Amino acid sequence: MLKKTLVALTVGGWLMSTGNTLAANYKFDKIGQHAFIEFRIQHLGFSWLYGGFRDFDGNFTFDPENPANDKVNVVIKTDSVDTKHAERDKHLRGPDFLNSNKYPEANFTSTNVKKEGEHYLITGDLTLNGVTKPVILDAKLINAGNDPWGGYRAGFEATGKLKLKDFNIKEDLGPKSQEVELIISVEGVREKT
């Protein structure tokens, strides 16, 4: 009887410990504002201009055992661009850049995820300014685990680069300003099943 009890406890403990590592769906933590989509681009080659998007939402599937099952979906409201300068933000929302009146949303949908060492290479289709092109994000798991409110979270940071001309952004600020660098940090709260 003691042997059966020990086996049952061992199996039960194993199941509980692996329950947090199985594939699960996560929603961006927008309520707690623990998700950021930021960017930087050189300004005429003299300095870096930093900004971000303040209104976006997204979700992801995370399977630590099989990254090929992972998926990422993001929707960004392009008129929420914020570089802490009202006139510049107005220009960025206009037809020279994001064309927010015509294209109020940008979308990213992953098509492939593979793990290389500590990094996850996320390939996906980005639709921006009416153009859809593949982009690659280099992501790293920061941590996954229980939070103080009874939930379970996974946090990632990702970087990537976009060529402005690939997305029909024709404004030319010089040879040093052809690419924008993305810096993305998100916490996802695991959805209850």
Side-chain angles (χ1 to χ4, degrees):
M1 180 71 170
L2 179 60
K3 190 174 181 182
K4 285 184 180 177
T5 303
L6 286 174
V7 170
L9 286 172
T10 303
V11 171
W14 178 79
L15 287 173
M16 286 176 67
S17 68
T18 59
N20 286 339
T21 63
L22 299 176
N25 297 319
Y26 294 79
K27 187 110 173 95
F28 285 8
D29 181 10
K30 280 186 59 181
I31 295 171
Q33 192 54 52
H34 297 120
F36 301 88
I37 297 178
E38 306 293 321
F39 61 82
R40 74 177 195 160
I41 188 169
Q42 284 202 30
H43 180 250
L44 305 175
F46 295 114
S47 66
W48 288 99
L49 184 150
Y50 288 81
F53 293 93
R54 303 298 166 233
D55 189 3
F56 61 89
D57 205 355
N59 57 68
F60 59 89
T61 302
F62 177 47
D63 183 348
E65 303 302 319
N66 190 358
N69 291 334
D70 294 352
K71 302 209 177 307
V72 181
N73 294 289
V74 184
V75 177
I76 301 168
K77 303 292 187 185
T78 56
D79 68 354
S80 73
V81 67
D82 181 4
T83 64
K84 311 243 182 291
H85 188 278
E87 282 303 308
R88 178 171 53 229
D89 293 345
K90 183 178 175 184
H91 188 200
L92 290 175
R93 292 180 190 112
D96 289 339
F97 288 97
L98 297 172
N99 211 354
S100 295
N101 282 340
K102 189 172 182 182
Y103 304 108
E105 290 184 348
N107 297 276
F108 176 81
T109 303
S110 66
T111 55
N112 184 52
V113 178
K114 66 179 178 179
K115 189 174 184 191
E116 292 187 356
E118 296 292 310
H119 294 260
Y120 293 85
L121 297 181
I122 304 169
T123 303
D125 291 327
L126 176 66
T127 301
L128 174 68
N129 195 28
V131 177
T132 301
K133 293 271 187 184
V135 298
I136 298 174
L137 300 176
D138 183 350
K140 190 169 182 183
L141 175 67
I142 297 170
N143 199 9
N146 296 317
D147 66 25
W149 307 283
Y152 188 88
R153 292 172 183 254
F156 288 86
E157 184 171 78
T159 57
K161 290 184 179 180
L162 306 177
K163 290 184 178 173
L164 299 183
K165 289 191 187 321
D166 284 352
F167 293 92
N168 205 27
I169 297 172
K170 295 178 178 153
E171 186 77 359
D172 192 340
L173 299 174
K176 297 279 192 181
S177 306
Q178 301 299 308
E179 281 188 334
V180 61
E181 296 182 10
L182 300 173
I183 309 109
I184 302 159
S185 182
V186 298
E187 279 182 35
V189 179
R190 188 168 65 185
E191 296 184 64
K192 294 187 165 108
T193 54

